[in-house]
Amino acid sequence: MATKSERRRKKILEAAAYLFAERGYSNVGVDDIGEAVGVTGPAVYYYFSGKQAVLAALFEEGLLGILQDAEDARREQDPQRAAADLVERHVARALKQRATSRLTLTSFDALPAEDVPRLRSLQHRYMKHWAELLQALDPSADRAQCRARAIALLGMLNAVVLWDVSSTLVTVQREVVAMALKSLGLDPSLAGQRPA
């Protein structure tokens, strides 16, 4: 069970993600974040050294989450099922954590310079998972082709958080997953087949 301090830290991150995504990183101050969780701005400094540290924590949390999803999907021996699983996981996480996902697409330049190498390394690890999976789907493709395909696929999957969604998220998720699987030459019926 999470401690009170851990719960407060999580609330700060959730509030910051929402505020950064809605107003833009540069338009949000530590006082705004504190107010959103019912504390003073200076109380936020108990948990984070500043606004940039909050941003870095959001990036790291999101990247560690998608890396875990990639590791889980790799357990599937069939590359088609593994690809379907990872597409589904990526879209589900992006929509569930929409504010954080949007932030990671728009605010990388605001990260503290000392955090960039670590976070870039996490991004590269995730991209490597995708490239290896796409290589397993098409062994005739070379490494550069697989990386380019992974970049294109992730561009499509990540764009979903930038849309102004008027339909239900379930519908959006289902349609984006189906489009992504079709773009990989896979049968969209593979979606939804991962074990619970």
Side-chain angles (χ1 to χ4, degrees), residues 4 6 8 30 40 56 77 85:
K4 182 178 178 182
E6 290 167 337
R8 174 70 49 85
V30 172
T40 64
Q77 297 301 310
D85 184 18

Side-chain angles (χ1 to χ4, degrees), residues 18-138:
Y18 175 79
L19 291 170
F20 292 159
E22 289 300 308
R23 297 185 196 169
Y25 174 78
S26 61
N27 297 319
V28 175
V30 172
D31 287 339
D32 299 316
I33 298 167
E35 182 180 328
V37 294
V39 300
T40 64
V44 173
Y45 290 104
Y46 175 78
Y47 301 93
F48 300 97
S49 63
K51 186 170 84 163
Q52 282 188 311
V54 173
L55 182 65
L58 286 166
F59 269 78
E60 185 169 33
E61 185 178 90
L63 287 166
L64 291 173
I66 62 174
L67 276 167
Q68 184 61 55
D69 289 345
E71 306 261 331
D72 292 345
R74 284 182 88 162
R75 292 188 186 112
E76 172 60 58
Q77 297 301 310
D78 176 7
Q80 291 187 1
R81 290 193 190 283
D85 184 18
L86 190 51
V87 164
E88 284 185 278
R89 288 173 186 269
H90 187 97
V91 173
R93 184 178 292 278
L95 290 173
K96 183 178 179 188
Q97 299 173 348
R98 194 176 166 119
T100 301
S101 297
R102 181 181 292 181
L103 184 64
T104 61
L105 296 177
T106 60
S107 300
F108 202 90
D109 292 343
L111 287 166
E114 64 270 13
D115 291 320
V116 170
R118 183 180 85 264
L119 297 173
R120 280 279 185 227
S121 174
L122 293 174
Q123 284 181 323
H124 290 294
R125 282 178 47 203
Y126 188 60
M127 182 63 69
K128 185 178 178 192
H129 281 291
W130 272 104
E132 289 171 354
L133 180 56
L134 296 177
Q135 181 85 59
L137 286 173
D138 182 4

Side-chain angles (χ1 to χ4, degrees), residues 177-194:
V177 167
M179 286 188 302
L181 293 177
K182 286 178 186 176
S183 78
L184 294 173
L186 301 176
D187 184 346
S189 70
L190 287 168
Q193 294 185 14
R194 75 178 157 150

Side-chain angles (χ1 to χ4, degrees), residues 147-181:
R147 184 166 166 73
R149 290 173 186 174
I151 290 168
L153 179 65
L154 288 171
M156 178 175 59
L157 297 178
N158 289 336
V160 72
V161 301
L162 301 174
W163 301 346
D164 183 19
V165 180
S166 56
S167 49
T168 67
L169 292 182
V170 171
T171 301
V172 171
Q173 181 175 345
R174 183 179 58 241
E175 292 303 314
V176 171
V177 167
M179 286 188 302
L181 293 177

